[in-house]
Amino acid sequence: MHSKKTVLAAAFAAVAALTLSACGNGGDSADNSVAEVSSGTGSEPATVLDQPFTKPDLVLTDTHGKKYDLREKTKGKPTLIYFGYTNCPDVCPLTMSNIAVAKRALPKADQDKLQVVFVTTDPERDTPASLGSWLRAQDPDFTGLTGDFPTIQAGARQIGIGIDPPKKEKDGTVVSMHGAQVIAFSPKTDQGYVLYSEDTTAEDYTEDLPELVKGETP
């Protein structure tokens, strides 16, 4: 079992607000430059929060165009929440791929219990249709959510995740600044009690998911 560190949720939130990854994508041209700044939460992939986060009070739109109440839909279920966007060239697809690989290693019954929610930080481009198509390539059961940016930003702040509106640079590169942490919520308490940095590997998730599904500390 890999090592963990324990921090207060409030202390993490203060740090996470300043810990953003800048993912760049040049829109229509795949040859445009990519702007990237990476920073994790430390050497250990998992951080156990001494004071867990309350699940965000978020009502957004899912990939089927239907209203999705995050608290209601995931109540009593093991849930991983991540804020990112589909045009991200590196961190976001790798994170979701790592989780998908780890999920497939679970018994079928546990796979059915686990909820993986991807909330876009680029709602202007991530429509329900485009978000759904992107997530299906990762795992058809992953939930994708989009909506208006202020609502998404406020929801992210509730769990210490900082995000900024996507910005178009002079060279046409679109840069989205967003916290790259995944937060695990317990099915027992609906509290976010374990945080994973962008450096977390598929092997790390594979090791921890069996405990997270049961609401235990990995």
Side-chain angles (χ1 to χ4, degrees):
M1 180 174 292
H2 50 69
S3 61
K4 308 290 191 300
K5 60 182 178 180
T6 302
V7 299
L8 295 175
F12 165 73
V15 174
L18 302 175
T19 306
L20 304 179
S21 290
C23 301
N25 185 285
D28 296 332
S29 174
D31 295 326
N32 282 333
S33 62
V34 172
E36 178 185 0
V37 176
S38 297
S39 54
T41 57
S43 58
E44 297 87 5
T47 300
V48 178
L49 301 175
D50 187 59
Q51 293 182 358
F53 286 113
T54 298
K55 192 172 290 181
D57 185 11
L58 266 177
V59 179
L60 295 169
T61 301
D62 66 16
T63 54
H64 302 289
K66 297 182 179 179
K67 185 179 78 170
Y68 188 98
D69 185 320
L70 180 64
R71 286 183 177 176
E72 177 185 313
K73 294 288 188 179
T74 62
K75 184 177 181 179
K77 300 176 182 178
T79 304
L80 301 181
I81 296 178
Y82 181 77
F83 288 80
Y85 70 118
T86 65
N87 284 288
C88 174
D90 38 42
V91 177
C92 303
L94 178 60
T95 297
M96 300 311 289
S97 176
N98 286 342
I99 294 173
V101 168
K103 179 188 170 187
R104 288 195 289 271
L106 290 170
K108 182 62 167 63
D110 286 347
Q111 291 186 41
D112 293 340
K113 293 176 184 175
L114 181 65
Q115 306 296 301
V116 180
V117 180
F118 181 94
V119 184
T120 182
T121 60
D122 184 13
E124 184 174 338
R125 290 188 294 173
D126 284 344
T127 63
S130 64
L131 184 55
S133 177
W134 187 82
L135 283 174
R136 280 193 295 275
Q138 303 282 354
D139 187 301
D141 293 323
F142 283 179
T143 297
L145 301 179
T146 187
D148 66 273
F149 185 83
T151 298
I152 292 169
Q153 185 178 50
R157 285 174 176 166
Q158 291 176 38
I159 53 174
I161 304 295
I163 62 175
D164 290 337
K167 184 176 67 172
K168 191 171 185 177
E169 302 293 331
K170 291 181 180 179
D171 64 356
T173 300
V174 177
V175 178
S176 178
M177 298 287 289
H178 63 90
Q181 298 81 17
V182 173
I183 298 183
F185 288 80
S186 168
K188 295 179 179 179
T189 65
D190 281 322
Q191 299 286 301
Y193 70 117
V194 184
L195 175 142
Y196 292 91
S197 75
E198 66 185 66
D199 298 322
T200 306
T201 65
E203 290 75 19
D204 294 325
Y205 284 118
T206 299
E207 182 178 341
D208 285 5
L209 282 185
E211 283 75 29
L212 296 177
V213 167
K214 293 181 287 189
E216 298 175 356
T217 300

